[in-house]
Amino acid sequence: MKQTYKINGMSCGSCKQTVEKALQEVTGVSSVQVSMNPPEAIVEKADSVTLNQLNAALSKAGNYSIGEEEPSSTQKNKGGCCCG
């Protein structure tokens, strides 16, 4: 299944690479394409891969998360792990 997710916390090319690598390492994910504008990831994955698994991988990699809408105040403009 291919799904597009909005990614919160990305602010530079390094963030993009970190997010891409973190998502690719989730068991059951077969491909990942991350873009900065808009900040999103297109993830091809097994049906068994959950949103919680993807978010856990992003959280472990830095201050990133999957969001369905723009966060109201929490780290809207803060970078993930490199851009503070």
Side-chain angles (χ1 to χ4, degrees):
M1 156 192 337
K2 190 180 274 192
Q3 199 155 5
T4 302
Y5 299 100
K6 179 177 179 194
I7 305 295
N8 297 322
M10 287 194 309
S11 57
C12 70
S14 182
C15 292
K16 177 182 175 272
Q17 291 174 336
T18 300
V19 165
E20 193 169 88
K21 182 178 179 193
L23 292 173
Q24 286 174 338
E25 291 178 353
V26 174
T27 302
V29 171
S30 55
S31 73
V32 178
Q33 294 175 318
V34 179
S35 68
M36 289 294 297
N37 192 14
E40 66 183 18
I42 300 170
V43 180
E44 192 160 344
K45 63 182 186 66
D47 290 342
S48 60
V49 177
T50 67
L51 184 62
N52 285 342
Q53 288 173 291
L54 298 175
N55 261 324
L58 291 175
S59 179
K60 184 178 177 184
N63 193 24
Y64 310 106
S65 64
I66 292 173
E68 303 202 7
E69 54 191 62
E70 194 68 28
S72 55
S73 62
T74 53
Q75 291 142 17
K76 182 175 177 182
N77 294 321
K78 271 193 107 71
C81 61
C82 65
C83 304

Coordinates of all heavy atoms in Angstrom, one line a residue:
M1 N 0.8 -1.2 0.0 CA 0.0 0.0 0.0 C 0.9 1.2 0.0 O 1.9 1.3 0.7 CB -0.9 0.0 1.2 CG -1.4 1.3 1.7 SD -2.2 1.6 3.3 CE -2.8 0.0 3.8
K2 N 0.6 2.2 -0.8 CA 1.3 3.5 -0.9 C 0.5 4.5 -0.2 O -0.7 4.7 -0.5 CB 1.6 3.8 -2.3 CG 2.5 5.0 -2.5 CD 2.8 5.3 -4.0 CE 3.9 4.4 -4.5 NZ 4.4 4.9 -5.8
Q3 N 1.1 5.3 0.7 CA 0.4 6.3 1.4 C 1.2 7.6 1.6 O 2.4 7.5 1.7 CB 0.0 5.8 2.8 CG -1.1 6.5 3.4 CD -1.9 5.7 4.4 OE1 -1.5 4.6 4.7 NE2 -2.9 6.2 5.0
T4 N 0.6 8.7 1.5 CA 1.3 10.0 1.7 C 1.0 10.5 3.1 O -0.1 10.6 3.6 CB 0.8 11.0 0.7 OG1 1.1 10.5 -0.6 CG2 1.6 12.3 0.8
Y5 N 2.1 10.9 3.8 CA 2.0 11.5 5.1 C 2.6 12.8 5.2 O 3.7 13.0 4.7 CB 2.7 10.6 6.2 CG 2.2 9.2 6.2 CD1 2.8 8.1 5.6 CD2 1.1 8.9 7.0 CE1 2.4 6.8 5.7 CE2 0.6 7.6 7.1 CZ 1.3 6.6 6.4 OH 0.8 5.3 6.5
K6 N 2.0 13.8 5.9 CA 2.6 15.1 6.2 C 3.6 14.8 7.3 O 3.4 14.1 8.2 CB 1.5 16.0 6.7 CG 2.1 17.4 7.0 CD 1.1 18.4 7.4 CE 1.8 19.7 7.7 NZ 0.9 20.6 8.4
I7 N 4.8 15.5 7.1 CA 5.9 15.3 8.1 C 6.1 16.6 8.8 O 6.3 17.7 8.2 CB 7.2 14.9 7.5 CG1 7.0 13.6 6.6 CG2 8.3 14.7 8.5 CD1 6.6 12.4 7.4
N8 N 6.0 16.6 10.2 CA 6.3 17.8 11.0 C 7.7 17.7 11.5 O 8.2 16.7 11.8 CB 5.4 17.8 12.2 CG 3.9 17.9 11.9 OD1 3.5 18.6 10.9 ND2 3.1 17.2 12.6
G9 N 8.4 18.9 11.5 CA 9.7 19.0 12.1 C 10.8 19.1 11.1 O 11.9 19.4 11.5
M10 N 10.6 18.9 9.8 CA 11.6 19.1 8.8 C 11.9 20.5 8.5 O 10.9 21.3 8.2 CB 11.3 18.3 7.5 CG 11.4 16.8 7.7 SD 11.4 16.0 6.1 CE 10.0 16.7 5.2
S11 N 13.1 20.9 8.4 CA 13.4 22.3 8.0 C 14.6 22.4 7.0 O 14.9 23.5 6.6 CB 13.6 23.2 9.2 OG 14.7 22.6 10.0
C12 N 15.3 21.3 6.7 CA 16.4 21.4 5.8 C 16.7 20.1 5.1 O 16.0 19.1 5.4 CB 17.7 21.8 6.5 SG 18.3 20.6 7.7
G13 N 17.6 20.0 4.2 CA 18.0 18.8 3.5 C 18.4 17.7 4.4 O 18.2 16.5 4.1
S14 N 19.2 18.1 5.4 CA 19.6 17.0 6.3 C 18.5 16.4 7.1 O 18.4 15.2 7.3 CB 20.6 17.6 7.4 OG 21.1 16.7 8.2
C15 N 17.5 17.2 7.4 CA 16.2 16.7 8.1 C 15.6 15.7 7.1 O 15.1 14.6 7.5 CB 15.3 17.8 8.4 SG 15.8 18.9 9.7
K16 N 15.5 16.1 5.8 CA 14.8 15.2 4.8 C 15.5 13.9 4.7 O 14.8 12.8 4.7 CB 14.9 16.0 3.5 CG 14.4 15.2 2.3 CD 14.5 16.0 1.0 CE 14.1 15.2 -0.2 NZ 15.1 14.4 -0.8
Q17 N 16.8 13.9 4.7 CA 17.6 12.6 4.7 C 17.4 11.8 5.9 O 17.2 10.5 5.8 CB 19.1 12.9 4.5 CG 19.4 13.4 3.1 CD 20.9 13.8 2.9 OE1 21.5 14.1 3.9 NE2 21.3 13.9 1.7
T18 N 17.4 12.4 7.1 CA 17.2 11.7 8.3 C 15.8 11.0 8.4 O 15.6 9.9 8.8 CB 17.3 12.7 9.5 OG1 18.6 13.2 9.5 CG2 17.1 12.0 10.8
V19 N 14.7 11.8 7.9 CA 13.4 11.3 7.9 C 13.3 10.1 6.9 O 12.7 9.0 7.3 CB 12.4 12.4 7.6 CG1 11.0 11.8 7.2 CG2 12.2 13.4 8.7
E20 N 13.9 10.2 5.8 CA 13.8 9.2 4.8 C 14.5 7.9 5.3 O 13.9 6.8 5.2 CB 14.5 9.7 3.5 CG 14.3 8.8 2.3 CD 14.8 9.5 1.0 OE1 16.0 9.3 0.7 OE2 14.0 10.2 0.4
K21 N 15.7 8.0 5.9 CA 16.4 6.9 6.4 C 15.6 6.2 7.5 O 15.5 5.0 7.6 CB 17.8 7.3 6.9 CG 18.6 6.2 7.4 CD 20.0 6.6 7.8 CE 20.7 5.4 8.4 NZ 21.9 5.8 9.1
A22 N 15.0 7.0 8.4 CA 14.3 6.5 9.6 C 13.1 5.6 9.1 O 12.8 4.5 9.6 CB 13.8 7.6 10.5
L23 N 12.4 6.2 8.1 CA 11.2 5.5 7.6 C 11.6 4.2 6.8 O 10.9 3.2 6.9 CB 10.3 6.4 6.8 CG 9.7 7.5 7.5 CD1 9.0 8.5 6.5 CD2 8.7 7.0 8.5
Q24 N 12.7 4.3 6.1 CA 13.1 3.1 5.3 C 13.5 1.9 6.2 O 13.5 0.8 5.8 CB 14.3 3.5 4.4 CG 13.9 4.3 3.2 CD 15.1 4.8 2.4 OE1 16.2 4.9 2.9 NE2 14.8 5.1 1.2
E25 N 13.9 2.3 7.5 CA 14.4 1.2 8.4 C 13.3 0.5 9.1 O 13.5 -0.5 9.8 CB 15.4 1.8 9.4 CG 16.7 2.2 8.8 CD 17.7 2.8 9.7 OE1 17.3 3.1 10.9 OE2 18.8 3.1 9.3
V26 N 12.0 1.0 8.9 CA 10.9 0.3 9.5 C 10.6 -1.0 8.8 O 10.5 -1.0 7.5 CB 9.6 1.2 9.5 CG1 8.4 0.4 10.0 CG2 9.9 2.5 10.3
T27 N 10.5 -2.1 9.5 CA 10.2 -3.4 8.9 C 8.9 -3.4 8.2 O 7.9 -3.0 8.8 CB 10.3 -4.5 9.9 OG1 11.6 -4.5 10.6 CG2 10.0 -5.9 9.3
G28 N 8.8 -3.7 6.9 CA 7.6 -3.7 6.2 C 7.5 -2.5 5.2 O 6.6 -2.5 4.4
V29 N 8.4 -1.6 5.4 CA 8.4 -0.4 4.4 C 9.3 -0.8 3.3 O 10.5 -1.2 3.4 CB 8.9 0.8 5.1 CG1 9.2 2.0 4.1 CG2 8.0 1.3 6.2
S30 N 8.8 -0.7 2.0 CA 9.5 -1.1 0.9 C 10.1 0.1 0.1 O 11.2 0.0 -0.5 CB 8.7 -1.9 -0.1 OG 7.5 -1.2 -0.4
S31 N 9.5 1.3 0.2 CA 10.1 2.5 -0.4 C 9.6 3.7 0.3 O 8.5 3.8 0.8 CB 9.9 2.5 -1.9 OG 8.5 2.9 -2.2
V32 N 10.5 4.8 0.2 CA 10.1 6.1 0.8 C 10.6 7.2 -0.1 O 11.8 7.1 -0.6 CB 10.8 6.2 2.2 CG1 10.5 7.6 2.8 CG2 10.4 5.1 3.2
Q33 N 9.8 8.2 -0.3 CA 10.1 9.4 -1.0 C 9.7 10.6 -0.2 O 8.6 10.7 0.2 CB 9.4 9.5 -2.4 CG 9.8 8.4 -3.4 CD 9.0 8.5 -4.6 OE1 7.8 8.7 -4.6 NE2 9.7 8.4 -5.8
V34 N 10.7 11.4 0.2 CA 10.5 12.5 1.1 C 10.7 13.8 0.4 O 11.7 13.9 -0.4 CB 11.4 12.5 2.4 CG1 11.1 13.7 3.3 CG2 11.2 11.2 3.1
S35 N 9.8 14.8 0.5 CA 10.0 16.1 -0.1 C 9.9 17.1 1.0 O 9.3 17.0 2.0 CB 8.9 16.3 -1.2 OG 7.6 16.4 -0.6
M36 N 10.5 18.3 0.7 CA 10.5 19.4 1.6 C 9.4 20.4 1.4 O 8.9 21.0 2.3 CB 11.8 20.2 1.5 CG 13.0 19.5 2.1 SD 12.9 19.3 3.9 CE 12.9 20.9 4.4
N37 N 9.0 20.5 0.1 CA 7.9 21.4 -0.2 C 6.9 20.8 -1.1 O 7.1 20.7 -2.3 CB 8.5 22.6 -0.9 CG 7.5 23.8 -1.0 OD1 6.5 23.8 -0.3 ND2 7.8 24.8 -1.8
P38 N 5.8 20.2 -0.6 CA 5.4 20.3 0.8 C 6.2 19.2 1.6 O 6.7 18.3 1.1 CB 3.9 19.9 0.8 CG 3.8 19.0 -0.4 CD 4.8 19.6 -1.4
P39 N 6.2 19.4 3.0 CA 7.0 18.5 3.8 C 6.1 17.2 4.0 O 5.3 17.1 4.9 CB 7.1 19.3 5.1 CG 6.0 20.2 5.1 CD 5.7 20.6 3.7
E40 N 6.4 16.2 3.2 CA 5.7 15.0 3.2 C 6.5 13.8 2.8 O 7.6 14.0 2.3 CB 4.4 15.1 2.3 CG 4.7 15.2 0.9 CD 3.5 15.4 0.0 OE1 2.4 15.7 0.5 OE2 3.6 15.1 -1.2
A41 N 6.0 12.6 3.1 CA 6.7 11.4 2.8 C 5.6 10.5 2.1 O 4.5 10.3 2.6 CB 7.2 10.7 4.0
I42 N 6.0 9.9 0.9 CA 5.2 8.9 0.3 C 5.9 7.6 0.6 O 7.0 7.3 0.3 CB 5.2 9.1 -1.2 CG1 4.6 10.5 -1.6 CG2 4.4 8.0 -1.9 CD1 4.8 10.9 -3.0
V43 N 5.1 6.8 1.4 CA 5.6 5.5 1.9 C 4.9 4.4 1.3 O 3.6 4.3 1.3 CB 5.5 5.5 3.5 CG1 6.0 4.2 4.0 CG2 6.1 6.7 4.1
E44 N 5.6 3.4 0.7 CA 5.1 2.2 0.2 C 5.4 1.2 1.3 O 6.5 0.9 1.7 CB 5.7 1.8 -1.1 CG 4.9 0.7 -1.7 CD 5.1 0.6 -3.2 OE1 5.6 1.5 -3.8 OE2 4.8 -0.5 -3.8
K45 N 4.3 0.5 1.9 CA 4.5 -0.3 3.0 C 3.5 -1.5 3.0 O 2.5 -1.4 2.3 CB 4.3 0.5 4.3 CG 2.9 1.1 4.5 CD 2.8 1.9 5.7 CE 1.4 2.4 5.9 NZ 0.4 1.4 6.2
A46 N 3.8 -2.5 3.8 CA 2.9 -3.5 4.1 C 1.7 -3.0 4.9 O 1.8 -2.1 5.6 CB 3.5 -4.7 4.8
D47 N 0.5 -3.6 4.7 CA -0.7 -3.2 5.4 C -0.5 -3.3 6.9 O -1.1 -2.6 7.7 CB -1.9 -4.1 5.0 CG -2.4 -3.7 3.6 OD1 -2.0 -2.7 3.1 OD2 -3.1 -4.6 3.0
S48 N 0.4 -4.2 7.4 CA 0.6 -4.4 8.8 C 1.4 -3.3 9.5 O 1.4 -3.2 10.7 CB 1.4 -5.8 9.0 OG 2.6 -5.7 8.3
V49 N 2.1 -2.4 8.7 CA 2.8 -1.3 9.3 C 1.9 -0.3 9.8 O 1.0 0.2 9.0 CB 3.8 -0.7 8.3 CG1 4.6 0.4 8.9 CG2 4.8 -1.8 7.8
T50 N 2.0 0.1 11.0 CA 1.1 1.1 11.6 C 1.6 2.5 11.7 O 2.9 2.7 11.6 CB 0.7 0.6 13.1 OG1 1.9 0.8 13.9 CG2 0.2 -0.8 13.1
L51 N 0.8 3.4 11.8 CA 1.2 4.8 12.0 C 2.0 5.0 13.2 O 3.0 5.7 13.2 CB -0.1 5.7 12.1 CG 0.1 7.2 12.2 CD1 0.8 7.7 10.9 CD2 -1.2 7.9 12.4
N52 N 1.7 4.2 14.3 CA 2.5 4.3 15.5 C 4.0 3.8 15.3 O 4.9 4.4 15.8 CB 1.9 3.4 16.6 CG 0.7 4.1 17.2 OD1 0.5 5.3 17.1 ND2 -0.1 3.3 17.9
Q53 N 4.2 2.8 14.4 CA 5.5 2.3 14.1 C 6.3 3.4 13.4 O 7.5 3.6 13.6 CB 5.5 1.1 13.3 CG 5.0 -0.2 14.0 CD 4.8 -1.4 13.1 OE1 3.9 -1.4 12.3 NE2 5.7 -2.3 13.2
L54 N 5.6 4.0 12.4 CA 6.3 5.1 11.6 C 6.6 6.3 12.5 O 7.8 6.8 12.5 CB 5.4 5.5 10.5 CG 5.1 4.5 9.4 CD1 4.1 5.0 8.4 CD2 6.3 3.9 8.8
N55 N 5.7 6.7 13.4 CA 6.0 7.8 14.3 C 7.1 7.5 15.3 O 7.9 8.3 15.6 CB 4.7 8.2 15.0 CG 4.0 9.4 14.4 OD1 4.7 10.3 13.9 ND2 2.7 9.4 14.4
A56 N 7.1 6.2 15.7 CA 8.2 5.8 16.7 C 9.5 5.9 16.0 O 10.5 6.4 16.6 CB 7.9 4.4 17.2
A57 N 9.6 5.5 14.8 CA 10.9 5.6 14.0 C 11.3 7.1 13.9 O 12.5 7.4 14.0 CB 10.8 4.9 12.7
L58 N 10.4 7.9 13.5 CA 10.6 9.4 13.4 C 11.1 10.0 14.7 O 12.0 10.8 14.7 CB 9.4 10.1 12.8 CG 9.1 9.7 11.3 CD1 7.8 10.4 10.9 CD2 10.2 10.1 10.4
S59 N 10.4 9.7 15.7 CA 10.7 10.2 17.1 C 12.1 9.8 17.5 O 12.8 10.6 18.1 CB 9.6 9.8 18.1 OG 9.9 10.3 19.3
K60 N 12.4 8.6 17.2 CA 13.8 8.1 17.6 C 14.9 8.8 16.8 O 16.0 9.1 17.3 CB 13.8 6.6 17.3 CG 15.1 5.9 17.8 CD 15.1 4.4 17.5 CE 16.4 3.8 17.9 NZ 16.4 2.4 17.6
A61 N 14.6 9.2 15.6 CA 15.5 9.9 14.7 C 15.7 11.3 15.0 O 16.7 11.9 14.7 CB 15.1 9.7 13.2
G62 N 14.7 11.9 15.7 CA 14.8 13.4 16.0 C 13.4 13.9 16.4 O 12.6 13.1 16.7
N63 N 13.3 15.2 16.2 CA 12.0 15.8 16.6 C 11.0 15.9 15.4 O 10.6 16.9 15.0 CB 12.3 17.2 17.1 CG 11.2 17.9 17.8 OD1 10.3 17.2 18.3 ND2 11.1 19.2 17.8
Y64 N 10.7 14.7 14.9 CA 9.9 14.6 13.7 C 8.6 13.8 14.1 O 8.6 12.9 14.9 CB 10.6 13.8 12.6 CG 12.0 14.4 12.3 CD1 13.1 13.7 12.6 CD2 12.1 15.6 11.6 CE1 14.4 14.2 12.4 CE2 13.4 16.1 11.3 CZ 14.5 15.4 11.7 OH 15.7 15.9 11.5
S65 N 7.5 14.0 13.3 CA 6.3 13.3 13.5 C 5.5 13.4 12.3 O 5.7 14.2 11.4 CB 5.5 13.8 14.7 OG 5.1 15.1 14.5
I66 N 4.5 12.4 12.2 CA 3.6 12.4 11.1 C 2.3 13.2 11.6 O 1.9 13.0 12.7 CB 3.1 11.0 10.7 CG1 4.3 10.3 10.1 CG2 1.9 11.0 9.8 CD1 4.1 8.9 9.8
G67 N 1.9 14.2 10.8 CA 0.7 15.0 11.2 C -0.3 15.1 10.1 O 0.1 15.1 8.9
E68 N -1.5 15.1 10.5 CA -2.6 15.2 9.5 C -2.9 16.7 9.2 O -3.4 17.0 8.2 CB -3.8 14.5 9.9 CG -3.4 13.0 10.2 CD -4.6 12.1 10.1 OE1 -5.7 12.6 9.7 OE2 -4.5 11.0 10.4
E69 N -2.6 17.6 10.2 CA -2.8 19.0 10.0 C -1.7 19.7 10.7 O -1.0 19.2 11.5 CB -4.2 19.4 10.5 CG -4.4 19.0 11.9 CD -5.9 19.3 12.3 OE1 -6.7 18.6 11.7 OE2 -6.1 20.1 13.2
E70 N -1.5 21.0 10.4 CA -0.4 21.8 10.9 C -0.6 21.8 12.4 O -1.6 22.1 12.9 CB -0.5 23.2 10.3 CG 0.8 24.0 10.6 CD 2.0 23.5 9.8 OE1 1.8 22.9 8.8 OE2 3.1 23.7 10.3
P71 N 0.5 21.5 13.2 CA 0.4 21.6 14.6 C 0.1 23.0 15.1 O 0.6 24.0 14.5 CB 1.7 21.1 15.1 CG 2.7 21.3 14.0 CD 1.8 21.2 12.7
S72 N -0.7 23.2 16.1 CA -1.1 24.5 16.5 C 0.0 25.4 17.0 O 0.2 26.5 16.6 CB -2.3 24.5 17.5 OG -1.9 23.7 18.6
S73 N 0.8 24.8 18.0 CA 1.9 25.6 18.5 C 3.1 24.8 18.8 O 4.2 25.4 18.9 CB 1.4 26.3 19.9 OG 1.1 25.2 20.8
T74 N 3.0 23.5 18.9 CA 4.2 22.7 19.2 C 5.1 22.5 18.0 O 4.8 21.9 17.1 CB 3.7 21.3 19.7 OG1 2.9 20.7 18.7 CG2 3.1 21.4 21.0
Q75 N 6.2 23.2 18.1 CA 7.4 23.1 17.2 C 7.0 23.3 15.8 O 7.5 22.6 14.9 CB 8.0 21.7 17.4 CG 8.7 21.7 18.8 CD 8.6 20.4 19.4 OE1 8.3 19.4 18.8 NE2 8.9 20.3 20.7
K76 N 6.1 24.2 15.5 CA 5.7 24.5 14.1 C 6.9 24.9 13.3 O 7.1 24.5 12.2 CB 4.6 25.5 14.1 CG 4.1 25.9 12.7 CD 3.0 26.8 12.8 CE 2.5 27.2 11.4 NZ 1.5 28.2 11.5
N77 N 7.8 25.7 13.9 CA 8.9 26.2 13.1 C 10.3 25.7 13.6 O 11.3 26.1 13.1 CB 9.0 27.8 13.2 CG 7.8 28.4 12.6 OD1 7.4 28.0 11.5 ND2 7.2 29.4 13.2
K78 N 10.3 24.7 14.5 CA 11.5 24.2 15.0 C 11.9 23.0 14.1 O 11.1 22.2 13.6 CB 11.3 23.6 16.4 CG 11.6 24.7 17.4 CD 11.8 24.0 18.7 CE 13.1 23.9 19.3 NZ 13.9 24.8 19.8
G79 N 13.2 23.0 13.8 CA 13.8 21.9 13.0 C 13.9 20.6 13.8 O 13.6 20.6 15.0
G80 N 14.1 19.5 13.1 CA 14.2 18.2 13.8 C 15.4 18.1 14.7 O 15.3 18.5 15.9
C81 N 16.5 17.6 14.3 CA 17.6 17.4 15.1 C 18.8 18.3 14.8 O 19.8 18.3 15.6 CB 18.0 15.9 15.1 SG 18.6 15.4 13.4
C82 N 18.8 19.0 13.7 CA 20.0 19.7 13.3 C 19.8 21.2 13.2 O 20.8 21.9 13.1 CB 20.5 19.1 11.9 SG 19.3 19.5 10.6
C83 N 18.6 21.6 13.2 CA 18.3 23.0 12.8 C 17.8 23.9 14.0 O 17.6 25.1 13.9 CB 17.4 23.2 11.7 SG 18.0 22.2 10.2
G84 N 17.4 23.2 15.1 CA 16.9 23.8 16.3 C 16.1 25.0 16.1 O 15.7 25.9 16.4

